[in-house]
Amino acid sequence: QVKLVESGGGSVQAGGSLRVSCLASGYTPCMGWLRQAPGKEREGVAAIYFTSLTTIYDDSVKGRFTISVDDTQNIVYLQMNSLKPEDTATYYCAAGTVNCYNPNYVQYWGQGTEVTVSS
């Protein structure tokens, strides 16, 4: 069992930046972030595979969000720049063996952290 603990998030005006972090209690090949806005389904935002450092981004965040890792401490970061009101959601850290981007295949979840972007 891997425990994921998120930190960061908060409220910011449109165009601003935030960073969320996730500390994992153990190693999994894939770590990522998903989000869920009110009334919407949970969706993948970004993921990274430790062995190859391959990254995946949803089209809506490409060029604005960056996922990175500190693999010595099992921490994954999501730097969010040029935030938009539509980025408002609960952001969940996710981890898995094969897939940590598709919510149907995520094995471990964080508790979620709120990100609110005002216009």
Side-chain angles (χ1 to χ4, degrees):
Q1 187 75 14
V2 175
K3 184 177 180 181
L4 305 175
V5 179
E6 297 131 336
S7 59
S11 298
V12 67
Q13 288 191 327
S17 299
L18 285 172
R19 189 177 80 162
V20 291
S21 305
C22 176
L23 173 64
S25 64
Y27 171 80
T28 57
C30 179
M31 288 186 69
W33 293 91
L34 292 86
R35 66 186 178 187
Q36 187 166 19
K40 294 188 177 182
E41 294 185 351
R42 198 169 295 188
E43 61 179 7
V45 176
I48 187 165
Y49 290 85
F50 282 89
T51 53
S52 63
L53 295 183
T54 300
T55 56
I56 301 171
Y57 293 97
D58 183 77
D59 287 344
S60 66
V61 305
K62 283 181 180 177
R64 300 188 299 121
F65 290 13
T66 302
I67 189 169
S68 61
V69 298
D70 179 344
D71 56 6
T72 63
Q73 300 188 63
N74 281 352
I75 299 175
V76 63
Y77 304 97
L78 184 68
Q79 178 67 43
M80 302 180 286
N81 298 329
S82 302
L83 282 161
K84 304 175 181 180
E86 50 264 44
D87 294 318
T88 295
T90 301
Y91 283 70
Y92 295 91
C93 181
T97 303
V98 176
N99 190 314
C100 60
Y101 186 80
N102 184 321
N104 295 318
Y105 297 99
V106 169
Q107 292 177 266
Y108 306 105
W109 292 97
Q111 78 280 6
T113 185
E114 298 289 333
V115 171
T116 303
V117 184
S118 57
S119 57

